Structure formats: structure tokens, C-alpha cells
Amino acid sequence: MKYRLLAASGLAAGLALTAAACSSSPSSSSASSPATSAPASSAPASSGATTASDFGPGCASVPKTGAGSFTGMSTAPVATAASANPVLSTLVTAVKKAGLVDTLNSASGITVFAPDNAAFAKIPAETLNQVLANKAELTKILTYHVVAGRYTPSQLAAGTPLRTLEGAAVTPALMGSTYEVNSADVVCGNVQTANATVYIINTVLMPPSS
């Protein structure tokens, strides 16, 4: 985790994920468009849910039944779906503190790169608590984890930078058999919710400007 990215803000390290995003995709949410200087993302093939199944070693930690299972999450909007999944409990806390639950649940067709609990555990507790208490900084970090459009694994493998709601870009890639976004590995990918495609990642992403 590159804690030095937060030095300029005086907080030292980073935290978490999600929020409605903004790219050049036709399925973008109602959020305003980010600066044109950010790299534009390629439009996803469809704003609807993909048909490919979830994948990755972290999928074994997802409940097999109930609201937090893959079947259960597929019927709920993304913030609600995440709240039922125990591997995303820290992320859910962050989303609530940032006031982004309604924004995420009402977004139409987004992709969320969702840090799991282990990703947050990499951040020193004192630093994490400072970020959670700073709504502006927290919102900036969380919105860096969301892009407009529902991206398939094959689209991520193309390596095209994707513009986030925060305004900067994240870069997905397929390295051997592992999907990545920036420096984070996808541990469970292509998870479908009612309005989002989710890729659970093992590191919290930090915006370049933080």
C-alpha cells in the first residue's frame, strides 16, 4: 500500500471504495462529468449485467446462501448487496460515513472495485480512523473506486484506463491469470448486483492527487 500518497493531505494512508462513477460510457450515472484531462474509458459493451460467472480465490469467502451470497447480491442494489456480505463490512462502514449509500444504490450500470476487509487491515488503525473521520477525503477515495458502465473481465483485460467518479483514472490489466487494477489484485471478480458489476480487490486504491 502506498501510504505516501496521502502525505500531502496529512492523513498518510488510504482507504476504500465505491460510489457512482463518471466516464464516457453511455450508461454513466447522474454524477457530473470529471475533468476532460483524465483519460477517457472505453465504453462497455452493455450497461446490463454480464452473463459470465464470478471468479477468483476470494469468492470462497462469500456466503453460499442468503442475502450475502452471489444469488442474494444479484437482486439488490450495490450498497445494499455489499452490506449483506461479511467480507465487505469495513467498506460498508466507509460508504455509510461518506453518505454514499443512496448515491450508489440509485446509480445505473456501474463497476465498483471493492476493497475487502483484508485490504483495509493493511492500513494502520490510527490512519484508517483519521480517514473515516474526514468525510471530504473519504469521499474522494471512495469515488476513485467507481466507474460508469458494467465492465466484463475481457474488457478489463484490454488494459484501457477507466475514468472514475473522482476524476482520475484507474488502469485494469490481466497479468498472467490474475486481474489487477492499479496495484491491487482482483480476488473475486465479476460479482453481479442489481445495478453494478463488482470486483473485490485486496488493496485500497489511492487517487493520484491524494
Side-chain angles (χ1 to χ4, degrees), residues 18-200:
T18 71
C22 195
S23 77
S24 59
S25 164
S27 60
S28 59
S29 67
S30 59
S32 59
S33 297
T36 56
S37 58
S41 61
S42 59
S46 171
S47 61
T50 58
T51 57
S53 62
D54 50 83
F55 64 89
C59 293
S61 299
V62 175
K64 299 296 186 280
T65 60
S69 66
F70 293 121
T71 299
M73 288 190 291
S74 70
T75 64
V78 64
T80 300
S83 69
N85 190 329
V87 305
L88 298 175
S89 60
T90 307
L91 172 62
V92 170
T93 296
V95 169
K96 289 179 178 178
K97 284 185 176 292
L100 293 172
V101 172
D102 290 342
T103 299
L104 292 175
N105 278 347
S106 62
S108 176
I110 56 176
T111 294
V112 174
F113 299 107
D116 60 12
N117 292 343
F120 286 99
K122 296 178 181 179
I123 303 171
E126 182 178 356
T127 299
L128 179 58
N129 289 336
Q130 288 177 337
V131 177
L132 289 172
N134 186 329
K135 186 175 181 179
E137 187 69 16
L138 180 60
T139 299
K140 181 180 180 67
I141 294 169
L142 292 176
T143 54
Y144 185 59
H145 291 73
V146 184
V147 301
R150 301 180 75 145
Y151 283 83
T152 65
S154 62
Q155 289 170 323
L156 296 187
T160 303
L162 307 176
R163 189 180 299 168
T164 68
L165 177 62
E166 185 271 337
V170 294
T171 302
L174 177 60
M175 304 298 290
S177 60
T178 302
Y179 285 86
E180 297 180 353
V181 54
N182 291 1
S183 61
D185 292 344
V186 174
V187 297
C188 184
N190 207 35
V191 178
Q192 302 301 317
T193 75
N195 69 326
T197 298
V198 178
Y199 293 86
I200 300 175

